[in-house]
Amino acid sequence: MSAQFKKFLSKLNIDHTAKSSKFVQRRPKKITSLKFLESFFIVFMKPNFSFRQWACQLSLLEDQYVSFQGLCKKCNDKCLIFVQELLNKAIKMQLKNAFVTSGFKSDFTRILIEDSTSWKLCKSMLKAFSGAGNNNSDVAMFKTHFCYDLLNMNTIGYKVTDVKVNDNSQSSNILDYLRPDDLVLRDLGYLSNRILKMIAKKKAWFISRLKDSTKYFLPETEQEFNLSKELKKSFRSGQTKFIKVLSIGKTEKLTATVIAVRLNEDQVTRRLKKYHKKYDKKQQMSDSKKELIHWSVMVTNIEEEKIDIDQIFKLYTLRWQIELLFKTWKSRFGLDKVLSKYTGNDSNKVLILYTLFLLFHTAIYRPLHVKYAKIMKTEFDRELSLQKFASLVMNQLEAFCKENKNLNNIVLKLGCHDENTTK
């Protein structure tokens, strides 16, 4: 399979990066940079990943014995720099070769979705990665803040932090990646009026949810605007949609368009269940909350006259694709299990495993996904399923690398959404 991996990784200039990072300082006697990567990608696909299995696979590729201890020694701080630099190169390369899969290209250059997910580790990592909650927690974890361009299926950036770091403190990360005519879909965790104003200043667009506790004011008079009361009046008059330019926030005010859509009974029931799960059932709900729980409220800087409310909410539902991506990493690729199986206490090794997976996702899995998404759409008018296709790649990576002629039909039957779910 080596030739196929070389094809995927050839543009990353691996040998140069290995030398510049000092991962390789002289001609390697045993572990070469390409086979180091290749062996990980092969073993990662197997059910029971371990450093011993990795060393065994590396020995087979190098055609000489590489010990478990030798591999562990090689996974040091220089190795972490090496794989991080490769990942950064892979991300930059994919941004130059974007494949558009959505009909929103005429409206936005990119659709940026930012979210975080946490990774549970072995207890031996507690010193390096303290757990959530108080200092007595015996759960070692770290958090990744990940930015993804849904329109072009590109990884834009990532950041590893302590699990105790809240999302809001990372809300400004998006400004490092932003370009004019990008659309940013914000979750409540990353909500910041100051950052939304800066997004608009950079001539980009945003759509964000709003907290029920948000204060609203009329821009002209600064008089407080009771949104729940106005929504109640609107519904009584037969309206299920609401739109108005308002000043949002008590201190850091943001003037933008607030839109709201009345939810159906099933959606309200799900919201009520979440509310009662979070709060004591005996706790009484305020009159404002009772009304707002029936509405989905968003804010956007898209001009009011250009807003199609249904389109805005359709766009925002795309934000959940990043949740699906995280779920795919955990349930299909099993990254959480790989990370938690490391029983040592060296933080470099955990971060190397994580970065190598992101490199696999960026340099190998994503090109395959892009290729077959295009084939399925153009030749069969079918949508590729992120999770189903991930399972196929996990089980048949060698066939995909060798470009087996029967793969198109296999992907059509086993890797696409059911026809009735896409129409």
Side-chain angles (χ1 to χ4, degrees):
M1 209 188 306
S2 181
Q4 301 304 323
F5 277 108
K6 284 180 181 177
K7 178 182 176 182
F8 281 117
L9 301 171
S10 60
K11 296 181 181 179
L12 293 180
N13 202 353
I14 293 171
D15 290 338
H16 178 268
T17 306
K19 290 178 182 177
S20 65
S21 63
K22 297 184 179 180
F23 176 66
V24 171
Q25 299 188 54
R26 56 185 180 274
R27 187 174 179 180
K29 295 180 179 179
K30 283 190 176 183
I31 302 177
T32 58
S33 51
L34 178 62
K35 288 183 171 58
F36 173 81
L37 299 173
E38 183 181 349
S39 57
F40 171 82
F41 296 149
I42 293 172
V43 176
F44 177 78
M45 297 291 123
K46 296 180 180 179
N48 298 307
F49 173 88
S50 70
F51 271 81
R52 292 187 185 279
Q53 283 194 22
W54 186 3
C56 180
Q57 183 64 55
L58 185 56
S59 298
L60 292 172
L61 293 180
E62 296 285 8
D63 200 23
Q64 59 179 317
Y65 178 66
V66 177
S67 68
F68 160 74
Q69 292 83 358
L71 175 61
C72 287
K73 187 177 179 180
K74 196 67 176 174
C75 291
N76 52 27
D77 54 344
K78 295 181 179 64
C79 178
L80 179 58
I81 294 170
F82 167 59
V83 295
Q84 286 177 336
E85 287 184 3
L86 283 180
L87 176 58
N88 291 335
K89 282 186 179 182
I91 290 173
K92 289 177 182 177
M93 279 174 51
Q94 71 173 10
L95 296 180
K96 296 178 182 179
N97 300 287
F99 167 66
V100 179
T101 60
S102 170
F104 297 113
K105 179 64 178 176
S106 58
D107 301 308
F108 310 108
T109 306
R110 303 182 298 177
I111 297 179
L112 303 186
I113 310 172
E114 194 172 30
D115 209 342
S116 67
T117 190
S118 299
W119 304 93
K120 187 176 178 181
L121 306 173
C122 180
K123 288 183 181 180
S124 61
M125 293 302 301
L126 263 173
K127 188 175 180 180
F129 298 105
S130 60
N134 59 48
N135 294 328
N136 296 322
S137 172
D138 62 351
V139 179
M141 300 177 76
F142 73 88
K143 182 187 280 190
T144 308
H145 302 267
F146 194 78
C147 185
Y148 192 71
D149 171 17
L150 182 64
L151 195 60
N152 302 305
M153 300 169 62
N154 285 338
T155 301
I156 302 300
Y158 70 100
K159 186 175 181 180
V160 175
T161 68
D162 191 289
V163 73
K164 295 177 183 177
V165 173
N166 64 51
D167 292 350
N168 191 263
S169 68
Q170 304 299 307
S171 59
S172 63
N173 291 347
I174 197 77
L175 302 175
D176 296 334
Y177 318 126
L178 209 58
R179 300 175 188 168
D181 290 323
D182 283 347
L183 171 65
V184 179
L185 303 180
R186 300 250 86 170
D187 189 23
L188 289 178
Y190 291 87
L191 178 59
S192 163
N193 282 2
R194 182 177 66 87
I195 302 303
L196 291 180
K197 287 163 77 172
M198 293 179 75
I199 290 171
K201 191 174 181 179
K202 287 178 173 283
K203 297 182 180 180
W205 310 100
F206 62 77
I207 302 172
S208 177
R209 288 179 61 200
L210 289 169
K211 296 177 181 178
D212 290 342
S213 59
T214 300
K215 296 290 185 181
Y216 302 89
F217 303 87
L218 294 172
E220 305 84 8
T221 62
E222 292 298 316
Q223 180 183 350
E224 188 168 352
F225 182 86
N226 191 324
L227 181 64
S228 61
K229 187 177 178 180
E230 294 301 321
L231 289 176
K232 193 171 185 178
K233 284 181 183 178
S234 179
F235 182 64
R236 282 179 176 174
S237 65
Q239 301 297 317
T240 56
K241 297 176 183 177
F242 175 90
I243 182 168
K244 190 173 183 66
V245 175
L246 292 170
S247 233
I248 302 158
K250 198 170 183 179
T251 52
E252 185 78 44
K253 284 187 169 61
L254 167 72
T255 300
T257 303
V258 175
I259 56 178
V261 171
R262 185 84 175 183
L263 301 175
N264 60 41
E265 290 184 12
D266 289 340
Q267 291 170 320
V268 174
T269 300
R270 286 196 293 271
R271 279 194 171 191
L272 285 169
K273 284 182 179 179
K274 286 183 180 179
Y275 178 83
H276 291 310
K277 186 177 181 180
K278 184 176 181 180
Y279 301 102
D280 190 332
K281 290 186 178 181
K282 294 179 181 179
Q283 180 176 328
Q284 286 200 347
M285 192 182 291
S286 67
D287 291 339
S288 175
K289 179 66 178 178
K290 285 178 182 177
E291 183 59 36
L292 290 173
I293 208 162
H294 288 83
W295 296 82
S296 183
V297 183
M298 303 276 184
V299 63
T300 182
N301 64 331
I302 299 173
E303 296 92 336
E304 186 178 356
E305 61 273 13
K306 293 182 180 180
I307 289 177
D308 178 327
I309 293 180
D310 291 333
Q311 185 79 330
I312 290 292
F313 280 84
K314 182 180 178 181
L315 277 167
Y316 191 78
T317 58
L318 298 176
R319 206 202 70 78
W320 294 105
Q321 290 296 314
I322 199 167
E323 298 286 352
L324 184 60
L325 185 64
F326 291 154
K327 185 177 179 181
T328 301
W329 289 1
K330 293 178 180 181
S331 64
R332 306 293 173 158
F333 289 120
L335 177 58
D336 55 339
K337 293 178 182 177
V338 168
L339 295 176
S340 64
K341 279 182 180 178
Y342 173 66
T343 57
N345 58 10
D346 184 353
S347 61
N348 282 329
K349 290 180 176 56
V350 168
L351 295 177
I352 286 166
L353 292 176
Y354 179 74
T355 307
L356 280 171
F357 169 76
L358 287 186
L359 180 61
F360 165 79
H361 179 272
T362 303
I364 294 178
Y365 175 72
R366 178 193 168 273
L368 288 172
H369 190 281
V370 166
K371 174 183 175 179
Y372 284 96
K374 186 175 181 179
I375 291 172
M376 293 302 110
K377 189 66 178 175
T378 56
E379 296 186 14
F380 304 104
D381 194 26
R382 294 284 296 278
E383 296 290 337
L384 198 63
S385 164
L386 184 64
Q387 294 211 18
K388 289 182 178 180
F389 185 70
S391 294
L392 273 179
V393 172
M394 281 290 287
N395 293 319
Q396 304 296 336
L397 180 60
E398 186 171 0
F400 278 101
C401 289
K402 291 182 177 179
E403 300 180 345
N404 189 297
K405 294 180 180 178
N406 295 320
L407 277 174
N408 286 0
N409 288 328
I410 292 173
V411 173
L412 178 64
K413 296 293 184 183
L414 302 176
C416 290
H417 289 291
D418 296 335
E419 289 186 271
N420 59 350
T421 62
T422 58
K423 293 183 179 180

